[in-house]
């Protein structure tokens, strides 16, 4: 005589459904797609603050988690607390499943912020920028113009720079809004009617044609050193608008450790190549106490820049992005909310399901 299987209680059914949902969402987030929100203006106008997008893990291949001991569906902290959501007691070697493609030049890429050394690589804060240089490329910026391998790089359609805009009278939010410039994209820099404005070249030309604007000038920094520029802006005489030339490391590339190469690449070797004991002193690199005369890179690297070129903290400031920090390809938008509007006006309907280029 068969036994009747006892019926699950309502509470048990809810628990089972919740566990299934968490497991399914975790697998989708890890293997296929992960949601991401644009928090800053570094990619405007290509991507806007308040854009919600999906990041494809499939394009470049899904990373096997380096830090597997983690609360599901969390990143660094447990929701709403300052409690770490992971344990770094187990750290797995880097491995990536096969993908559809490699990171290609000008892809919009989500990656882990490299210099956030307090976290394991896969749990660093997610950033989004454009890969303007791929392994083996040589990049150079002259008067704000980016060149890759000696050729002027194609410009993102809605790339922004900063401009000094001087009005014949004070300019208000309503005036700037007619040009698609939100309140976070302009600042008064004089006591009267001078403004620092982040805008595309096309918008700058429209501003210049306004009868109540007396001048519009792009703010390009002249040649000279700038503090905080990677690898040493003051020493090399580089700044955000005049930079390089600098070659991007590729896996298997061997370089002699000349004085210049020590300046350019010692930080990368020290922090991303997996060595436990790297010392940089007196213009030389020492690994495990031995002076390095030449070095062969163990992984590929990328040079990332924001499309809002004068309002982006990117590779010009903190250096190369290692391959093992790449999260995925920014694929398409699924929602966009304008924080300066209210109710239904907040939704940017024209950006729904827009592909990212």
């Amino acid at each position: 005589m068969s036994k009747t299987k006892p019926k699950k209680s309502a509470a048990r059914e809810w628990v089972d459904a919740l566990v299934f949902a968490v497991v399914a969402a975790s697998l989708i987030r890890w293997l296929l797609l992960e949601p991401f929100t644009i928090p800053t203006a570094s990619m405007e106008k290509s991507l806007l603050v308040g854009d919600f997008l999906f990041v494809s893990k499939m394009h470049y291949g899904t990373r096997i988690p380096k830090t597997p001991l983690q609360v599901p569906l969390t990143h660094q902290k447990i929701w709403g607390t300052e409690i770490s959501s992971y344990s770094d007691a187990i750290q797995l070697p880097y491995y990536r499943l096969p993908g559809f493609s490699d990171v290609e030049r000008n892809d919009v890429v989500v990656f882990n912020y490299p210099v956030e050394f307090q976290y394991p690589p896969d749990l660093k804060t997610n950033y989004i920028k454009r890969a303007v240089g791929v392994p083996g490329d040589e990049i150079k910026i002259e008067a704000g113009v980016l060149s890759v391998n000696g050729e002027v790089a194609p410009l993102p359609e809605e790339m922004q720079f900063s401009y000094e805009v001087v009005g014949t009278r004070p300019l208000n939010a309503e005036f700037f809004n007619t040009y698609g410039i939100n309140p976070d994209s302009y600042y008064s820099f004089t006591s009267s009617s001078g403004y620092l404005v982040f805008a595309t070249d096309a918008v700058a030309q429209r501003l210049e044609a306004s009868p109540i604007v007396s001048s519009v000038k792009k703010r390009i920094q002249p040649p000279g050193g700038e503090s905080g520029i990677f690898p040493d802006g003051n020493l090399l005489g580089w700044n955000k608008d005049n930079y390089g030339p600098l070659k991007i490391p590729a896996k298997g590339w061997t370089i002699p450790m000349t004085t210049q190469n020590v300046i350019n690449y010692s930080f990368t070797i020290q922090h991303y190549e997996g060595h436990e004991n790297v010392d940089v002193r007196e213009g030389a690199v020492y690994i495990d106490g031995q002076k390095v005369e030449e070095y062969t890179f163990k992984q590929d690297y990328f040079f990332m820049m924001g499309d809002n070129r004068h309002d982006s903290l990117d590779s010009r400031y903190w250096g190369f992005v290692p391959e093992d920090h790449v999260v995925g390809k920014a694929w398409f938008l699924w929602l966009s909310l304008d924080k300066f509007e209210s109710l239904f006006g907040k939704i940017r309907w024209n950006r729904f399901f827009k592909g990212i280029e």
Side-chain angles (χ1 to χ4, degrees):
M1 183 175 180
S2 62
K3 293 183 178 180
T4 303
K5 188 175 180 180
K7 186 179 179 181
K8 292 182 181 179
S9 67
R12 175 63 185 276
E13 288 183 349
W14 273 104
V15 170
D16 287 351
L18 180 61
V19 169
F20 176 80
V22 169
V23 171
S26 297
L27 286 174
I28 292 171
R29 183 173 180 258
W30 168 57
L31 281 172
L32 304 177
L33 298 170
E34 182 173 355
F36 185 79
T37 307
I38 302 297
T40 71
S42 70
M43 286 294 291
E44 290 200 359
K45 294 286 190 180
S46 302
L47 294 170
L48 307 179
V49 174
D51 278 350
F52 293 77
L53 55 93
F54 278 117
V55 179
S56 168
K57 305 290 185 72
M58 304 171 287
H59 278 77
Y60 307 140
T62 300
R63 290 184 302 181
I64 300 300
K66 185 177 180 66
T67 312
L69 301 180
Q70 183 183 2
V71 177
L73 303 179
T74 63
H75 192 60
Q76 296 169 349
K77 308 289 184 181
I78 294 176
W79 317 281
T81 75
E82 289 301 311
I83 302 172
S84 292
S85 63
Y86 67 93
S87 168
D88 58 5
I90 298 176
Q91 291 284 283
L92 301 178
Y94 168 67
Y95 181 74
R96 189 181 294 273
L97 298 175
F100 299 153
S101 68
D102 296 326
V103 178
E104 297 179 355
R105 197 179 298 120
N106 294 319
D107 280 358
V108 178
V109 179
V110 173
F111 56 92
N112 300 117
Y113 182 40
V115 294
E116 204 170 39
F117 298 119
Q118 68 270 36
Y119 296 112
D122 56 334
L123 291 175
K124 296 177 180 180
T125 301
N126 289 333
Y127 269 37
I128 185 167
K129 308 287 181 188
R130 191 176 298 276
V132 299
V134 298
D137 283 349
E138 183 177 84
I139 61 125
K140 187 175 184 179
I141 305 172
E142 293 181 287
V145 178
L146 171 67
S147 295
V148 180
N149 302 326
E151 297 184 0
V152 175
L155 302 179
E157 185 176 348
E158 296 191 277
M159 187 174 72
Q160 292 197 147
F161 285 95
S162 59
Y163 294 84
E164 292 179 6
V165 176
V166 178
T168 58
R169 59 174 175 79
L171 307 175
N172 58 23
E174 183 179 359
F175 169 82
F176 285 113
N177 189 52
T178 62
Y179 293 88
I181 301 169
N182 66 53
D184 283 345
S185 294
Y186 69 90
Y187 310 92
S188 175
F189 68 84
T190 68
S191 57
S192 54
S193 50
Y195 300 86
L196 171 65
V197 178
F198 297 100
T200 65
D201 286 345
V203 169
Q205 290 173 8
R206 289 176 55 209
L207 284 168
E208 198 167 19
S210 170
I212 59 173
V213 172
S214 59
S215 68
V216 176
K217 179 184 178 183
K218 184 180 285 189
R219 299 188 73 187
I220 297 296
Q221 191 169 339
E226 179 183 351
S227 296
I229 291 292
F230 174 87
D232 191 329
N234 284 330
L235 178 64
L236 298 173
W238 297 357
N239 59 51
K240 63 179 177 290
D241 290 323
N242 294 275
Y243 187 98
L246 180 65
K247 188 169 181 178
I248 303 168
K251 183 177 180 179
W253 181 41
T254 300
I255 57 172
M257 294 309 293
T258 62
T259 300
Q260 184 64 54
N261 282 340
V262 170
I263 294 170
N264 288 351
Y265 303 110
S266 60
F267 183 86
T268 302
I269 295 169
Q270 187 173 26
H271 292 286
Y272 307 128
E273 287 283 283
H275 303 291
E276 291 187 3
N277 183 15
V278 179
D279 189 21
V280 183
R281 62 179 187 271
E282 298 175 353
V285 173
Y286 294 81
I287 298 178
D288 296 328
Q290 299 296 314
K291 184 177 180 180
V292 177
E293 300 295 341
E294 66 176 24
Y295 186 80
T296 301
F297 287 94
K298 297 182 177 182
Q299 65 174 320
D300 287 330
Y301 292 84
F302 304 90
F303 200 91
M304 306 288 186
M305 291 177 66
D307 289 356
N308 196 358
R309 290 290 163 83
H310 285 165
D311 193 21
S312 173
L313 184 67
D314 51 37
S315 286
R316 293 171 291 178
Y317 296 89
W318 37 252
F320 308 114
V321 173
E323 180 191 3
D324 64 2
H325 283 53
V326 171
V327 175
K329 179 182 175 70
W331 199 7
F332 65 91
L333 304 178
W334 61 273
L335 177 66
S336 185
L337 302 177
D338 188 342
K339 72 176 184 179
F340 298 106
E341 298 291 341
S342 58
L343 297 176
F344 290 108
K346 293 182 72 69
I347 301 176
R348 303 183 182 109
W349 297 100
N350 63 332
R351 297 184 68 78
F352 267 52
F353 301 108
K354 179 181 179 182
I356 298 171
E357 299 179 355

